[in-house]
Amino acid sequence: MFAEKVIELLKEAERNKETIDQFNDEKIRQILEEMHMLFNLNMTDANASSENKSLWTAVQIRHSALERNKRCLLAYLYNRMQKIKTLRWEFGSVLPTDVRELLSDDEYLWFTKYSTNLASYMRSLGQDIGYNGIDLTENLKPPKSLFIEVLCMVDYGKLELEDGDVIMLKKNSRHFLPTSECQTLIRQGILKQIV
Amino acid sequence: MDLEDDIEFSNDEEEITADTVLKTLQSAWQNERLAPEILPHRNDMVECMLGQIQHMERNINKLPKTDLRASIHKMELSRIKFIICNYLKTRLNKIEKYCIPILNEEKQRIDSGTNYLTPSEYKYAQEYLLNLESHLKTVVLNKVPNNMQTFEMSKMAVYPNLQTHVFLQANETVNGVVLEDIFGDQDEEIDLEEGSQHILQYKPIADLVKNGKVQLI
């Protein structure tokens, strides 16, 4: 059956809706190959079909298969792009290596472009009134309280707070910190909120 | 909590209190979150509020750290910051999702001077679409057979669902809102009384949301 591989590809991506899988280079190559094969068959038959109308249906079916392949491939890429976008909001502009490896080189390029674009938009916010931008990736959740209790997961070292105090973040130490200052560290997995 | 305690805010053209700015911003945020399509930007309010925040932060820093007022004000500030961030983020999400139709419509709106996006949002949208297109091209489109290599804008476009239903409250009395009957030709006309609440399709009341006559809830 034509266009079977592309469905496998989509099903695979559909299975893990929340997380991103390894970019399936090999399968995409196979699908592209199938498309070229279909296209070549169609070219020969289309040239012959001016005399022989019976080939016409075959040409049309192959053409639909081609269209379907293209559409599904684009859907696959688009879907992954949406996931990569959420990565930018979760991790910031630098991806952890294990996540980075799941993206293809082109996707990583796209991630960098997206990230730069977002950053330059955020920098432009409030520029007219002397602000140097707002980081929209902070304040993702509505603030509940000014301070939260956090547990440090790794030996991070010194952290300087906005008011100038310096605290030492050691593994398994507990701190009572301003919510606004530990959001990023929590997302990076350095701190963990204790309820 | 009221903000006027700390700041007397005056505008060149008209007197407007920080409280009004916050209320306007809140309703703009609420509308933006609930409306399916992008709404005209309220950058004036955002910038005004940001100025206020700056001002208040300076005031708070003058207070001793242990002062109860300082922490209450800080809490309020972080709430306001959240509203602003979330408002801008909601807009960005819509811009990304409905990038193609928004850009097309925006081009006409810029000509008539009724743009919905701020200049930096517009730049962001263009850049986003450009990146999207070049990514799809390098990965797939350039490798498929010759006759299918085009990036079909119309096929890639995602449109907001204007037929969706929304909850709303009328800020003032509006007479003669026409509800179209898609299947038949029996259009219905209704009047919205001030303060009354309704569940209606978004499309017929879209203009009322944009000019502030109704509030989505």
Side-chain angles (χ1 to χ4, degrees):
Chain A
M1 266 283 278
F2 303 139
E4 224 167 31
K5 287 222 165 54
V6 85
I7 295 300
E8 278 172 35
L9 184 74
L10 289 188
K11 272 188 184 158
E12 229 170 71
E14 181 77 4
R15 220 166 277 151
N16 299 324
K17 280 198 181 115
E18 306 291 312
T19 55
I20 192 157
D21 292 329
Q22 181 81 43
F23 183 74
N24 202 333
D25 233 346
E26 177 58 25
K27 193 148 264 164
I28 288 188
R29 202 187 50 75
Q30 289 172 1
I31 294 164
L32 288 173
E33 225 165 62
E34 182 191 287
M35 288 178 80
H36 280 284
M37 186 205 65
L38 286 170
F39 180 72
N40 290 336
L41 282 176
N42 255 4
M43 283 310 273
T44 19
D45 279 3
N47 288 336
S49 70
S50 41
E51 304 105 52
N52 190 354
K53 284 271 183 279
S54 63
L55 292 172
W56 200 234
T57 14
V59 171
Q60 277 195 329
I61 287 178
R62 286 194 208 111
H63 187 75
S64 324
L66 278 168
E67 291 277 353
R68 189 180 173 80
N69 270 330
K70 176 182 169 183
R71 171 135 191 102
C72 293
L73 277 177
L74 291 184
Y76 177 72
L77 290 183
Y78 189 78
N79 206 323
R80 284 182 67 88
M81 275 194 259
Q82 303 307 315
K83 285 179 180 171
I84 297 170
K85 275 198 314 206
T86 54
L87 294 181
R88 171 62 181 85
W89 290 90
E90 275 167 32
F91 292 109
S93 53
V94 183
L95 286 181
T97 3
D98 54 334
V99 180
R100 158 78 182 85
E101 278 164 7
L102 297 175
L103 309 184
S104 72
D105 289 346
D106 284 320
E107 278 176 324
Y108 189 66
L109 187 71
W110 188 80
F111 172 82
T112 338
K113 280 187 191 161
Y114 178 75
S115 171
T116 330
N117 192 21
L118 185 68
S120 70
Y121 170 73
M122 293 197 295
R123 256 201 312 281
S124 74
L125 288 173
Q127 220 164 33
D128 300 345
I129 52 160
Y131 253 60
N132 41 4
I134 313 167
D135 189 357
L136 293 181
T137 59
E138 278 176 25
N139 304 325
L140 286 179
K141 284 190 201 128
K144 284 274 189 294
S145 60
L146 266 188
F147 291 88
I148 49 170
E149 210 177 341
V150 286
L151 177 70
C152 190
M153 307 303 284
V154 286
D155 282 319
Y156 180 73
K158 280 178 186 159
L159 174 75
E160 193 179 332
L161 300 178
E162 234 169 56
D163 53 16
D165 288 352
V166 178
I167 51 159
M168 201 52 191
L169 293 180
K170 266 194 194 155
K171 195 173 178 180
N172 292 330
S173 61
R174 284 175 164 224
H175 304 271
F176 195 56
L177 296 176
T179 318
S180 55
E181 303 199 30
C182 35
Q183 286 307 327
T184 329
L185 292 172
I186 290 177
R187 260 184 285 133
Q188 288 169 355
I190 293 162
L191 296 177
K192 194 176 154 190
Q193 187 174 354
I194 317 171
V195 189
Chain B
M1 200 194 78
D2 46 18
L3 293 156
E4 294 104 304
D5 291 355
D6 297 79
I7 330 135
E8 287 298 321
F9 183 76
S10 65
N11 199 305
D12 289 346
E13 301 122 37
E14 47 179 325
E15 290 277 323
I16 170 172
T17 58
D19 201 36
T20 335
V21 178
L22 183 59
K23 284 219 175 80
T24 324
L25 195 62
Q26 268 172 338
S27 72
W29 173 49
Q30 211 173 338
N31 277 340
E32 193 70 65
R33 296 267 305 182
L34 295 165
E37 62 166 349
I38 191 116
L39 299 175
H41 72 84
R42 294 309 304 265
N43 205 25
D44 46 342
M45 290 298 144
V46 172
E47 291 202 338
C48 185
M49 207 64 234
L50 286 176
Q52 293 295 315
I53 291 177
Q54 233 173 8
H55 193 95
M56 278 194 67
E57 268 172 353
R58 269 199 294 270
N59 279 354
I60 291 171
N61 283 340
K62 282 182 207 149
L63 293 170
K65 227 197 266 179
T66 43
D67 199 319
L68 177 65
R69 278 180 303 169
S71 43
I72 294 176
H73 281 297
K74 262 191 196 162
M75 190 64 211
E76 185 63 16
L77 276 189
S78 56
R79 289 202 183 110
I80 299 174
K81 274 190 203 158
F82 171 75
I83 293 180
I84 296 179
C85 283
N86 197 277
Y87 172 66
L88 295 173
K89 240 191 74 184
T90 314
R91 289 181 63 84
L92 271 195
N93 284 343
K94 282 188 194 172
I95 292 174
E96 285 172 2
K97 194 163 177 198
Y98 310 126
C99 196
I100 296 168
I102 284 180
L103 276 176
N104 286 342
E105 288 161 24
E106 191 68 8
K107 269 174 208 144
Q108 291 158 10
R109 283 195 289 249
I110 285 179
D111 290 339
S112 59
T114 50
N115 49 320
Y116 283 5
L117 307 186
T118 66
S120 40
E121 278 172 338
Y122 186 62
K123 206 181 123 231
Y124 180 80
Q126 281 177 317
E127 188 74 24
Y128 178 80
L129 183 61
L130 216 66
N131 288 342
L132 181 89
E133 191 180 334
S134 79
H135 179 64
L136 292 180
K137 274 199 175 139
T138 39
V139 182
V140 166
L141 290 177
N142 286 346
K143 295 174 188 160
V144 297
N146 292 336
N147 64 343
M148 336 194 76
Q149 283 187 353
T150 44
F151 175 75
E152 287 157 295
M153 213 64 117
S154 54
K155 278 193 187 168
M156 289 299 294
V158 184
Y159 291 93
N161 177 11
L162 299 181
Q163 263 75 46
T164 182
H165 285 77
V166 288
F167 289 78
L168 61 107
Q169 183 171 31
N171 289 334
E172 52 188 271
T173 310
V174 186
N175 290 322
V177 178
V178 181
L179 304 179
E180 277 178 45
D181 186 0
I182 304 171
F183 302 107
D185 35 30
Q186 301 206 316
D187 287 358
E188 200 184 332
E189 231 182 75
I190 56 156
D191 298 336
L192 306 177
E193 245 172 76
E194 186 182 339
S196 60
Q197 299 185 355
H198 308 264
I199 307 175
L200 291 175
Q201 226 177 45
Y202 177 73
K203 204 174 176 195
I205 53 118
D207 286 333
L208 299 176
V209 175
K210 285 169 196 165
N211 59 27
K213 286 192 174 148
V214 300
Q215 168 76 41
L216 300 184
I217 47 176

